[in-house]
Amino acid sequence: MVRTSETSSNGSTVRHPCYSEEAHRYFARMHVPVAPACNIQCLYCNRKFDCANESRPGVVSELMTPEQATRKVAGVASQLLQLSVVGIAGPGDSLANAEQTFRTFRGIREAVPDVTLCLSTNGLNLLKHIEEIVQLGIEHVTITMNAVDPEIGSQIYGWVYDEEEGRKYEGKEAAGFLISRQLRGIQALSEKGVLVKVNSVLIPGINDEHLPMVSKTVKELGAFMHNIMPLIIAPGSRYEQEGRQAPTPRQLHAVQAACGDEGARIMRHCRQCRADAIGLLGEDRSGDFTWEKLESAPPLDLDARQMLQKDLEQKVRQLQERKNSQTAAGKRARSSACACQGDEFPTRREEAGNELLRVAVASRGEGRVNLHFGHAKEFMVYETDGETVSFLGIRKVQAYCRGRATCNGDKAATLQEIVVSLSDCTALLSTGIGKAPEAKLRAAGILPLVKPGHIEELILEYAKYEHYLRAPKPQKIPGRA
């Protein structure tokens, strides 16, 4: 059976932070870097470049053997009880290192049987490993696919190496060879009941107008979700030499919307994680789980893990139900708010123009406003019409303050970057903000609101107030009291 977004069970994603926007607020993931080799050359990537402070795919602090990875997962799982997913996403390609990858998964399955196993690949070697993926119980596979047209793909990939033939393909031939393997792999996995997420890098001027076709194609083959990620250009890469630019938030939202119009389920909460990330999405806790610290880790308690995760799963389901109720209420309001023929007065909704408002949120998770502005390394951006709230995506920034007392040395430049990044927002929710950033945001037309609580509830509260202020007021008729 082909498993699509319509036919899949919610239970298969309710604890997966990448496949569920609600789950990512509560459940943690861990990537183990056991796959260093890669079999394709993307023109935005430079395999020689690495930096401990970089947060992007392909970056790690250390490589592990399968045995080391298994020990580390067990140590982390015994302390990070909300760890629900363990994946292999590099730093190269997981299936260009198939022996290490599957040996790691077998070790993890035996050591920590309650975690979900997840694999990321470029799809080149996928077809010959379908049966092993299914046998190991790997229910989620992510495939990075940037084009379905070889002509466009030739501008993204430098070369593709087929290990079976011992041959390196280049140009349009390389792109066509890779795309063919990817499409067949997506269909084969979907027919086996594996949930497939397709990641696509948005590259302005190359595939920005093409990605809706990618979205339509992979959905027809059974892909569960499509994740459009902004281009990150590695230093020393071909794209850096060519002077290419990353997309703006406006460009990213436009492409995501166009892909959504093709019927695909769009992932908007991706953090483009490192290949050794640990913790909630947007929170890297790898420093809390060094080898030295893991030596004193407590024994794995599967009962304690299950108890906590059942509680978190209930919170995720409640969040989903609340969102569904808001969506249904919004649809009912839109249905009843039509200006039917013969209506003497337009509705307040029409008077106000029902302008969409964008709101930035500082949050450390759990669906709440619970973070000070100065400590935020990212802002979650939402859009609302006053009746429903939609999550648009993540804006990564450099934290205005580092720690409680030590602030960034170039605070003015950092603040300016944050303001520019959030320039399309009308408000920002946080639990606290200093006078200087508050003034800067107000001057840019962004209203700083300091109030902890549930994100969606606070946004609707703000929207109600804002729409009331913007709505035209009834004019007094002369001579009437």
Side-chain angles (χ1 to χ4, degrees):
M1 180 187 75
V2 176
R3 216 149 99 180
T4 66
S5 56
E6 287 79 16
T7 60
S8 62
S9 166
N10 186 51
S12 62
T13 63
V14 73
R15 295 188 184 188
H16 199 306
C18 299
Y19 282 67
S20 164
E21 193 273 320
E22 294 82 14
H24 101 277
R25 307 183 187 196
Y26 298 98
F27 286 97
R29 59 40 179 135
M30 178 178 180
H31 292 169
V32 287
V34 298
C38 197
N39 46 15
I40 71 173
Q41 176 61 64
C42 301
L43 299 183
Y44 48 77
C45 180
N46 178 9
R47 303 269 303 145
K48 295 180 180 178
F49 179 79
D50 190 12
C51 174
N53 296 318
E54 280 262 328
S55 181
R56 62 175 174 84
V59 173
V60 297
S61 296
E62 65 171 343
L63 290 170
M64 297 182 197
T65 66
E67 292 71 29
Q68 288 173 325
T70 299
R71 287 203 308 273
K72 189 150 194 175
V73 170
V76 172
S78 69
Q79 300 172 79
L80 190 63
L81 302 187
Q82 65 267 45
L83 176 68
S84 60
V85 174
V86 176
I88 297 177
D93 183 76
S94 60
L95 297 181
N97 305 261
E99 194 277 329
Q100 297 101 304
T101 292
F102 291 122
R103 185 147 55 95
T104 301
F105 279 139
R106 283 191 289 271
I108 293 170
R109 174 64 75 214
E110 184 175 344
V112 191
D114 65 349
V115 295
T116 294
L117 301 180
C118 193
L119 179 151
S120 294
T121 176
N122 57 41
L124 183 63
N125 289 344
L126 184 55
L127 280 171
K128 64 182 180 180
H129 295 295
I130 298 289
E131 292 305 322
E132 192 161 11
I133 288 171
V134 173
Q135 289 170 7
L136 277 169
I138 299 170
E139 297 182 348
H140 304 78
V141 173
T142 295
I143 301 170
T144 299
M145 186 175 195
N146 299 319
V148 293
D149 181 345
E151 190 66 48
I152 293 174
S154 67
Q155 303 173 62
I156 301 172
Y157 308 109
W159 52 259
V160 169
Y161 181 75
D162 180 21
E163 61 184 27
E164 292 181 350
E165 295 183 6
R167 178 184 171 189
K168 181 185 285 188
Y169 293 85
E170 296 182 346
K172 187 176 178 180
E173 186 180 22
F177 184 69
L178 174 62
I179 291 167
S180 173
R181 293 278 189 93
Q182 291 171 327
L183 294 175
R184 289 157 59 201
I186 292 170
Q187 184 171 18
L189 284 173
S190 299
E191 289 175 349
K192 293 289 187 179
V194 177
L195 288 184
V196 177
K197 176 167 66 72
V198 172
N199 284 356
S200 296
V201 178
L202 170 57
I203 309 167
I206 293 183
N207 69 352
D208 45 346
E209 296 181 0
H210 175 63
L211 284 179
M213 177 56 69
V214 175
S215 201
K216 180 175 184 293
T217 301
V218 300
K219 183 179 186 298
E220 289 173 350
L221 292 175
F224 173 79
M225 176 177 284
H226 194 191
N227 175 28
I228 296 94
M229 310 179 297
L231 172 68
I232 298 176
I233 304 172
S237 66
R238 169 85 73 81
Y239 277 4
E240 186 194 46
Q241 296 167 11
E242 294 176 354
R244 294 202 174 273
Q245 299 294 316
T248 64
R250 185 184 297 273
Q251 289 174 314
L252 177 63
H253 293 326
V255 174
Q256 288 174 331
C259 291
D261 289 343
E262 295 296 336
R265 180 189 298 234
I266 303 300
M267 178 183 183
R268 299 178 186 272
H269 59 282
C270 177
R271 300 320 202 269
Q272 293 177 276
C273 305
R274 292 167 57 100
D276 58 1
I278 301 174
L280 297 174
L281 267 64
E283 169 197 63
D284 186 6
R285 293 188 55 192
S286 53
D288 295 336
F289 301 103
T290 62
W291 289 112
E292 293 78 11
K293 293 179 180 178
L294 289 177
E295 298 219 347
S296 58
L300 183 68
D301 187 337
L302 293 175
D303 290 337
R305 284 175 50 79
Q306 185 65 6
M307 186 180 301
L308 175 70
Q309 293 196 21
K310 276 189 175 179
D311 180 57
L312 296 180
E313 182 176 323
Q314 183 62 27
K315 291 181 179 180
V316 170
R317 293 189 186 280
Q318 289 172 351
L319 196 59
Q320 291 171 336
E321 289 169 4
R322 189 160 65 239
K323 179 185 288 187
N324 292 339
S325 296
Q326 289 175 353
T327 301
K331 287 179 179 178
R332 286 195 298 271
R334 281 191 287 275
S335 175
S336 63
C338 63
C340 302
Q341 188 173 3
D343 280 359
E344 186 175 357
F345 299 104
T347 64
R348 171 60 60 88
R349 182 184 183 85
E350 291 169 318
E351 290 176 350
N354 196 38
E355 181 180 356
L356 292 173
L357 302 171
R358 286 187 180 174
V359 181
V361 176
S363 174
R364 58 166 55 96
E366 299 189 356
R368 302 183 68 86
V369 178
N370 53 15
L371 187 63
H372 191 283
F373 169 86
H375 299 159
K377 295 181 181 178
E378 65 178 30
F379 291 95
M380 304 173 75
V381 176
Y382 293 80
E383 191 169 70
T384 181
D385 59 2
E387 292 163 354
T388 61
V389 178
S390 301
F391 178 62
L392 287 186
I394 302 295
R395 307 281 173 84
K396 290 189 175 184
V397 299
Q398 184 177 1
Y400 181 64
C401 289
R402 297 176 179 172
R404 295 185 176 181
T406 306
C407 282
N408 185 336
D410 194 358
K411 293 190 292 183
T414 299
L415 183 55
Q416 180 60 27
E417 289 177 2
I418 294 173
V419 170
V420 170
S421 176
L422 303 179
S423 60
D424 59 333
C425 297
T426 58
L428 184 147
L429 285 162
S430 70
T431 57
I433 187 170
K435 291 184 178 180
E438 179 182 4
K440 187 77 172 178
L441 288 170
R442 287 183 180 276
I446 305 170
L447 179 64
L449 299 171
V450 177
K451 193 169 185 180
H454 288 286
I455 291 173
E456 283 83 0
E457 292 175 4
L458 293 178
I459 289 176
L460 288 174
E461 183 180 311
Y462 157 71
K464 182 179 180 182
Y465 172 76
E466 189 69 22
H467 281 146
Y468 173 79
L469 290 181
R470 296 187 184 196
K473 302 299 184 288
Q475 294 185 357
K476 270 190 176 183
I477 300 176
R480 288 193 182 180

